[in-house]
Amino acid sequence: VVRAKNSSRVTKWDVARGMDPQGIPWQSLDQTRDDYRATRLRNYHNYTNVGDEERRAPQEDLAAEIARHPVRTGGRYFAFENNARDLHSSIVHFQLRNLVCATTAHDVFVTHSSDIQHYSYLTGVCTPVLSLHQLALCRVQVSTMCVRGSIVLAGGFYGDMVCVRVPG
């Protein structure tokens, strides 16, 4: 996905002026946002451990899901504030979850390579809190993490667990 040039943040004022909330410059791409979304929904396959004979077409799944949760149209359900793309995470497999953890409205923990980093939205500073290379645990690939209070717990693919106390 192509990102907006020279900008790492999209504000609600940018969106009000017509900028994409993710900073994608649709006007310079070959398809519109609506066309891309329609293609993605048409071609998306939900990855589950269900055999082909039991799997329904994605459109049927989407239609069934929408039918189960009717939504009043025209309502305002959320207000976009901003999208900051200063922090980069790396997730080793698309089905992994729990690799981004927001502990407050201003604090986010993410995995990046073999590190877990803390990003403060207030200061814009990213601080490594766990570096598996520095601990000589290079073989551990983080597949899940949890942050509670001052404790960060990282789990690996093979039952590895690493726990550290967050300074400060």
Side-chain angles (χ1 to χ4, degrees), residues 2-4 10 19-24 26 33 80 83 85:
V2 179
R3 300 290 180 202
V10 177
M19 185 178 208
D20 181 78
Q22 292 178 289
I24 300 170
W26 292 105
R33 182 178 186 189
F80 179 86
N83 176 5
R85 295 178 312 279

Side-chain angles (χ1 to χ4, degrees), residues 2 22 24 41 49 54 66 82 89 98-100 130 156 160 167:
V2 179
Q22 292 178 289
I24 300 170
L41 289 175
N49 293 329
E54 300 172 55
I66 291 170
N82 66 71
S89 64
N98 302 323
L99 293 175
V100 176
L130 172 63
D160 310 294

Side-chain angles (χ1 to χ4, degrees), residues 9-131:
R9 182 179 301 269
V10 177
T11 67
K12 62 183 171 184
W13 297 284
D14 294 326
V15 171
R17 288 192 304 266
M19 185 178 208
D20 181 78
Q22 292 178 289
I24 300 170
W26 292 105
Q27 67 281 1
S28 65
L29 299 177
D30 293 338
Q31 63 185 149
T32 67
R33 182 178 186 189
D34 290 337
D35 291 342
Y36 178 83
R37 179 170 171 76
T39 300
R40 183 182 183 282
L41 289 175
R42 189 173 49 255
N43 297 328
Y44 177 77
H45 297 286
N46 190 10
Y47 294 91
T48 60
N49 293 329
V50 176
D52 288 338
E53 65 282 349
E54 300 172 55
R55 184 175 292 136
R56 295 188 323 211
Q59 302 90 318
E60 294 172 18
D61 287 340
L62 182 61
E65 185 68 23
I66 291 170
R68 278 196 300 275
H69 304 283
V71 177
R72 180 178 46 92
T73 60
R76 186 173 181 155
Y77 298 103
F78 68 93
F80 179 86
E81 283 295 318
N82 66 71
N83 176 5
R85 295 178 312 279
D86 304 327
L87 184 61
H88 300 282
S89 64
S90 56
I91 297 176
V92 296
H93 192 277
F94 74 99
Q95 286 181 308
L96 292 178
R97 306 294 187 265
N98 302 323
L99 293 175
V100 176
C101 181
T103 55
T104 71
H106 307 289
D107 296 289
V108 178
F109 290 81
V110 300
T111 59
H112 183 68
S113 298
S114 59
D115 294 345
I116 293 179
Q117 302 174 342
H118 167 256
Y119 178 76
S120 169
Y121 186 77
L122 294 175
T123 64
V125 174
C126 185
T127 309
V129 295
L130 172 63
S131 175

